[in-house]
Amino acid sequence: MANGGKVKVGIIGSQFQADIHATSLQIMPDTAEVVAVASPTPGNAAAFAKKFGIPRVFTDYREMLKEKDIEMVTIAAPNSLHAQMTRDCAEAGKHIVCEKPLAMTIAEGEEMIAVAKKHSVLLMYGEELLFTPKYLKAKEMADAGAFGKIYLVKQSEKHFGPHSEWFWDVNRSGGGAFMDLGCHGIAFAYWFMDRSPIKSIYCQMGTYVHGNKTQAEDDSLCILEFANGAAALIENSWAHRGGMDDRIEVHGEAGVTYANLHMGNALPTYSEHGYGYAVEKAPSTTGWTYPVFEELWNYGTPQELVHFARCARGIETPKVTGEDGLAIMHALYAGYASAGEGRKITMPFQSPAVKKPIDLWLNGPARRQTK
Ligand SMILES: NC(=O)c1ccc[n+]([C@@H]2O[C@H](COP(=O)([O-])OP(=O)(O)OC[C@H]3O[C@@H](n4cnc5c(N)ncnc54)[C@H](O)[C@@H]3O)[C@@H](O)[C@H]2O)c1
């Protein structure tokens, strides 16, 4: 890499995850710095830049990509834009951090990987659960043999639904709770199993609470079987009350560990008056609440982005890539097909190249019968 000093980063997007990216790089400021932000809504990028002290502001991200000194771009925009943005970043010679899920379709995901290769840039996949300190500890213990042979891993992420309108529109998101949150759980389990191939998927999903605002599923259960003989259970919800809930369990023949990401890092608190902020997506701060401390550090996003910046300089090798994102996309498709057809799907599954994942559930015979 030609540049010395800190890795110069541009962020596409200026809302939820963009804020996490900028904050994360300020938490760990030694390796990388955000020098530009691009977001189309007038005033948003400027306000974001002011908040974080970012010198360059763009309403069109393509203009930002012309900045020669930017080495790495993080894509924190709706899922339906990931493919086009990745293509543009690659063509501009920028290393890419693409937020999850990788894309809307398999065809898009494959093209993203190909275009990054063609232009010799890295396509890194934003899955912070591989950097979450508490979950890393579980993996380290597993690798050290603490639990013997592992037969079951569980991961669940649940809350009462996303903060932005586009998530609820399946044409912009590709799917509901399973697509949005299940991609984390599948990535986690796949990584925990040292990328043992996924052999089968069985999913159950429904729209239980938010049918007035989305076609998408707001709750899903997913069972994965791996080639190594172990299983994973992934539970996701946009219908879960009480703020964000993210947890894992690891079960082996010689032991078990449980990790609750939020409650386990919280101060059980009672307040009549409330206070500023408890935790992501918490509905209030009065009564009993569980405020977390060092929230982003506990998620692992600063560690993730610093690792990616070091990869951009060739100092480290990406721990999670576009190829991982694509493997997860295949699993998502199989999961939606399973719920749509009401049966276990054996992998490899011929994911349709262009339909979005949720179509396999929305149009599936099992859903049509129960709707
Ligand atoms: N890793 C995680 O835990 C996590 C958490 C939240 C979101 N995400 C992912 O991050 C991505 C963004 O989600 P979010 O929650 O920040 O959404 P958001 O709605 O809060 O923000 C989306 C941003 O994209 C911008 N945008 C829209 N069209 C654009 C365009 N044409 N050019 C440039 N910017 C454009 C919007 O202006 C906005 O700033 C999604 O893919 C989402 O799945 C990941």
Side-chain angles (χ1 to χ4, degrees):
M1 195 56 63
N3 294 347
K6 294 183 189 181
V7 174
K8 293 193 168 49
V9 177
I11 296 179
I12 303 180
S14 63
Q15 297 298 310
F16 186 86
Q17 195 62 9
D19 196 294
I20 289 181
H21 288 179
T23 307
S24 292
L25 288 173
Q26 289 191 346
I27 289 172
M28 290 178 78
D30 292 346
T31 308
E33 61 182 329
V34 182
V35 297
V37 58
S39 186
T41 312
N44 276 6
F48 186 89
K50 191 167 174 217
K51 176 177 173 187
F52 290 102
I54 298 168
R56 290 173 245 170
V57 176
F58 300 86
T59 46
D60 182 345
Y61 72 89
R62 291 177 185 85
E63 293 301 313
M64 181 176 84
L65 297 180
K66 291 179 185 162
E67 299 287 297
K68 291 215 166 10
D69 60 341
I70 293 178
E71 295 164 66
M72 183 171 102
V73 172
T74 74
I75 299 175
N79 304 344
S80 56
L81 302 173
H82 290 183
Q84 180 64 49
M85 288 173 170
T86 295
R87 196 178 306 130
D88 293 334
C89 290
E91 284 169 0
K94 313 298 185 195
H95 296 298
I96 303 149
V97 177
C98 183
E99 266 304 334
K100 61 81 202 163
L102 184 68
M104 292 281 283
T105 67
I106 295 293
E108 281 185 357
E110 286 174 345
E111 197 217 332
M112 290 161 75
I113 291 168
V115 78
K117 280 212 175 84
K118 180 176 168 197
H119 293 282
S120 303
V121 296
L122 298 173
L123 174 57
M124 299 172 282
Y125 179 60
E127 178 45 75
E128 74 274 9
L129 291 193
L130 275 58
F131 300 84
T132 301
K134 196 179 262 192
Y135 295 175
L136 271 177
K137 179 72 183 170
K139 176 78 170 118
E140 277 168 24
M141 291 190 292
D143 289 347
F147 317 119
K149 187 169 166 42
I150 288 162
Y151 61 85
L152 173 66
V153 167
K154 298 189 194 179
Q155 199 277 339
S156 78
E157 183 172 341
K158 303 183 180 196
H159 53 66
F160 197 61
H163 42 274
S164 275
E165 279 307 309
W166 66 264
F167 283 92
W168 303 92
D169 173 359
V170 296
N171 293 315
R172 300 185 76 198
S173 61
F178 183 53
M179 177 96 170
D180 179 38
L181 306 176
C183 61
H184 284 303
I186 295 167
F188 173 80
Y190 185 52
W191 166 70
F192 215 93
M193 302 294 177
D194 297 321
R195 294 180 174 80
S196 177
I198 297 168
K199 290 308 248 187
S200 78
I201 298 193
Y202 180 75
C203 268
Q204 158 79 41
M205 55 184 73
T207 313
Y208 300 104
V209 173
H210 296 298
N212 60 341
K213 60 196 286 196
T214 186
Q215 279 185 289
E217 79 289 357
D218 58 21
D219 198 272
S220 63
L221 302 167
C222 174
I223 298 171
L224 303 166
E225 287 177 311
F226 292 88
N228 67 5
L233 173 62
I234 314 295
E235 294 181 32
N236 298 109
S237 191
W238 284 355
H240 170 89
R241 292 284 192 180
M244 182 70 111
D245 187 293
D246 191 318
R247 56 182 79 195
I248 63 165
E249 294 180 15
V250 179
H251 299 262
E253 61 181 7
V256 59
T257 191
Y258 304 92
N260 184 321
L261 188 53
H262 296 91
M263 294 280 200
N265 286 343
L267 296 73
T269 299
Y270 181 84
S271 168
E272 290 283 337
H273 302 300
Y275 54 94
Y277 175 84
V279 64
E280 182 183 337
K281 296 185 174 63
S284 85
T285 56
T286 53
W288 278 105
T289 54
Y290 295 83
V292 292
F293 55 92
E294 299 194 11
E295 187 175 16
L296 295 192
W297 180 265
N298 286 317
Y299 285 163
T301 324
Q303 302 90 316
E304 174 200 83
L305 290 176
V306 165
H307 162 68
F308 287 155
R310 290 172 67 80
C311 293
R313 287 282 170 85
I315 303 164
E316 292 177 15
T317 306
K319 187 173 169 182
V320 54
T321 62
E323 281 81 357
D324 290 319
L326 188 64
I328 292 153
M329 288 287 297
H330 278 291
L332 288 170
Y333 270 98
Y336 279 106
S338 165
E341 295 176 26
R343 69 179 178 94
K344 181 159 108 176
I345 301 277
T346 305
M347 303 295 273
F349 172 69
Q350 278 311 312
S351 308
V354 288
K355 273 187 180 174
K356 54 191 179 301
I358 196 174
D359 289 339
L360 303 186
W361 175 61
L362 289 176
N363 304 318
R367 178 167 185 271
R368 283 206 301 271
Q369 282 150 20
T370 56
K371 199 167 72 154

